[in-house]
Amino acid sequence: MALSDDLFLYLRLERLMMDLDDEANPLAERIRDLMDPLWYSLSEDDRRYLDSRGTVGIRTLYPVTLVVPDLLTEPSEEKTVFLKVTPEDGVGKRFPLEDDILCAA
Amino acid sequence: MRSVITGTNRFINCHTVISLKDQLLLQVSFSPLRVSLRLPRGLPSHVFFDIVENDLKEKTESSGSNPRIVISETNVSIFWSDVLLVSATLLDNETAHLKIDLRRVGINIFDDNAGLHVGHNTLTGNSFENCATAIALG
């Protein structure tokens, strides 16, 4: 489902409100107040989607969060140096099937 | 000089890229670009289909809509479900790049930046020239 900008904002505020609620932080109530007018500005489809969720767990708001410390790397600029393979009986390289070539998929 | 490039290796004037038990498994032909991917019967994965020069000749009845062959002037791609098995792309009239990943159909062959992986072997930077079969399995 593609999120509208307003729905995305609503979900972010909802997440913040729930985090603050967990900490018994009174700011949660202020966030809840902010969400009210936003709720009424949402489309019917967006409100229907929010109502259909039932009990909202934090994991459904952010189902997958990845920490990727090595995401960015320097690109390799090596140029391939080719090693010529001389065919034997018309075959370049032969591998036995015992080399883990076939599997059940 | 017809060349196929895959996984940092190149295959020049090779009739068959890969054979399995002395039967043609993978072949790339030019003018126009054509791919043959001919799985043998009886694989441990129980997958079978026979694609000859972009044309699906035979497959198991339970395959559903698989495999799927997508053809354009400069590319031929073969899919199993939503997984790409083989994609050949014309770089020029006599050179094709070949992306391979047959793991989804039970054959441990795929390519990446490290090379062409065949089982637990990795081929890197090899030039196969004038072979009837470049890589023979079994």
Side-chain angles (χ1 to χ4, degrees):
Chain A
M1 177 194 166
L3 298 180
S4 64
D5 289 344
D6 283 349
L7 178 58
F8 188 60
L9 175 60
Y10 184 92
L11 290 171
R12 285 161 67 193
L13 289 172
E14 185 181 53
R15 168 66 191 260
L16 178 60
M17 178 200 63
M18 292 175 75
D19 284 347
L20 293 172
D21 253 345
D22 279 350
E23 299 162 14
N25 189 321
L27 273 177
E29 209 47 48
R30 306 285 283 273
I31 301 296
R32 204 173 272 117
D33 290 341
L34 279 177
M35 291 168 65
D36 270 346
L38 186 55
W39 167 268
Y40 289 106
S41 74
L42 292 173
S43 68
E44 269 193 41
D45 280 347
D46 287 346
R47 284 204 292 267
R48 199 173 302 126
Y49 162 73
L50 291 171
D51 284 339
S52 71
R53 294 176 305 162
T55 304
V56 176
I58 290 293
R59 287 183 68 191
T60 65
L61 297 177
Y62 293 87
V64 177
T65 301
L66 301 176
V67 176
V68 190
D70 56 350
L71 178 63
L72 303 178
T73 61
E74 288 293 322
S76 166
E77 295 188 26
E78 295 171 9
K79 196 175 167 121
T80 302
V81 176
F82 290 104
L83 180 67
K84 187 171 176 181
V85 173
T86 302
E88 289 184 22
D89 294 329
V91 174
K93 279 192 189 284
R94 187 176 290 274
F95 296 100
L97 289 179
E98 291 77 25
D99 281 6
D100 299 329
I101 290 174
L102 300 181
C103 62
Chain B
M1 296 261 279
R2 304 286 174 84
S3 296
V4 175
I5 300 169
T6 185
T8 75
N9 302 279
R10 66 185 185 192
F11 306 87
I12 301 173
N13 288 342
C14 294
H15 178 270
T16 300
V17 179
I18 303 174
S19 71
L20 177 58
K21 299 179 189 173
D22 293 324
Q23 300 295 314
L24 186 155
L25 176 68
L26 180 61
Q27 180 186 59
V28 177
S29 306
F30 292 76
S31 304
L33 182 64
R34 288 155 288 151
V35 174
S36 298
L37 180 58
R38 312 191 68 179
L39 301 189
R41 291 184 189 274
L43 287 176
S45 62
H46 304 295
V47 176
F48 167 74
F49 58 78
D50 190 14
I51 297 171
V52 180
E53 297 195 343
N54 301 344
D55 191 20
L56 178 61
K57 298 292 189 190
E58 205 178 348
K59 65 176 186 176
T60 49
E61 285 185 15
S62 57
S63 300
S65 59
N66 294 314
R68 184 174 169 189
I69 307 166
V70 180
I71 303 170
S72 69
E73 200 174 320
T74 56
N75 179 271
V76 176
S77 295
I78 301 171
F79 295 85
W80 183 268
S81 294
D82 55 355
V83 176
L84 180 68
L85 300 180
V86 167
S87 184
T89 304
L90 271 184
L91 301 181
D92 57 49
N93 287 344
E94 302 208 321
T95 310
H97 177 270
L98 186 64
K99 185 75 188 160
I100 307 172
D101 193 339
L102 301 182
R103 290 173 291 181
R104 181 61 181 82
V105 293
I107 302 174
N108 269 328
I109 297 177
F110 67 98
D111 80 281
D112 61 18
N113 288 343
L116 177 63
H117 302 268
V118 181
H120 58 249
N121 307 282
T122 301
L123 298 171
T124 302
N126 295 283
S127 180
F128 297 81
E129 297 182 32
N130 303 314
C131 301
T133 298
I135 297 171
L137 310 174

